[in-house]
Amino acid sequence: MPPVSVPPTTVPRVGVVMGSRSDFETMQGALELLTQLQVPYEVRVLSAHRTPGLLATYAARAERLNLSCIIAGAGGAAHLPGMLAAFTRVPVLGVPVQSRALSGQDSLLSIVQMPAGVPVATFAIGQAGARNAALFAAALLATTDEQVRERLCAFREKQTQAVLDDPYFAGHPQAGEA
């Protein structure tokens, strides 16, 4: 896993957790977006199956750190997001990592089928899900942080402008004058 650049003096607002180092490729888009939106985060590799004690400790620490949410990526049985949600009141955003066996369908179903009372917000399988989880985390923060709100609005405006600037969009009935 390549090093992630986060200013060491910045208190993290979002936790990004993955079940193994091999999940980094999927989760990298979330880290890039959080960096772009200047949302401080921390990254951890924790396994629900191999390091359950560390997972419980991290979940308790998340509350003490006042993290706004935890983005948790996991593949296969994908118990990481649900186990985190069971140990903390911090909202957990689950990202199903694409698996070899079932292309991430197993991960998706493991995360999305949480029992009533232990919610995990669940996103798309793979990199799109990781990026959307980061945008959702920023949207959560934007409800109380004007600077994050402004950066998120600018990001969305830039996305819209990229579509409007596409030469294949010109002449679309809703594009205005042709």
Side-chain angles (χ1 to χ4, degrees):
M1 179 166 64
V4 179
S5 61
V6 178
T9 58
T10 305
V11 175
R13 306 279 309 273
V14 175
V16 179
V17 179
M18 56 200 86
S20 70
R21 283 182 170 262
S22 63
D23 297 338
F24 181 78
E25 185 179 331
T26 296
M27 301 304 289
Q28 187 170 6
L31 304 177
E32 291 168 359
L33 269 174
L34 291 170
T35 299
Q36 180 181 343
L37 295 169
Q38 299 174 38
V39 173
Y41 60 88
E42 65 176 17
V43 179
R44 297 286 183 270
V45 174
L46 296 170
S47 170
H49 304 111
R50 294 179 298 275
T51 61
L54 290 174
L55 183 147
T57 300
Y58 179 82
R61 181 179 166 275
E63 289 188 44
R64 288 193 310 275
L65 273 179
N66 291 319
L67 291 179
S68 294
C69 64
I70 301 169
I71 300 172
H79 291 130
L80 177 64
M83 290 295 293
L84 282 166
F87 282 115
T88 187
R89 289 179 299 275
V90 173
V92 177
L93 315 179
V95 177
V97 172
Q98 191 163 4
S99 60
R100 287 189 193 115
L102 298 171
S103 298
Q105 295 292 321
D106 49 346
S107 310
L108 173 65
L109 292 174
S110 283
I111 298 170
V112 80
Q113 285 300 116
M114 289 299 297
V118 187
V120 172
T122 309
F123 293 84
I125 297 168
Q127 294 175 356
R131 292 179 61 82
N132 280 339
L135 290 169
F136 191 88
L140 285 173
L141 289 167
T143 63
T144 58
D145 186 322
E146 181 65 34
Q147 292 176 334
V148 173
R149 182 172 30 257
E150 289 172 7
R151 290 189 294 268
L152 185 58
C153 287
F155 173 86
R156 289 184 176 179
E157 288 173 13
K158 187 176 177 184
Q159 276 189 143
T160 299
Q161 195 58 50
V163 172
L164 297 176
D165 291 345
D166 187 322
Y168 292 104
F169 187 77
H172 187 281
Q174 293 176 340
E177 291 184 33

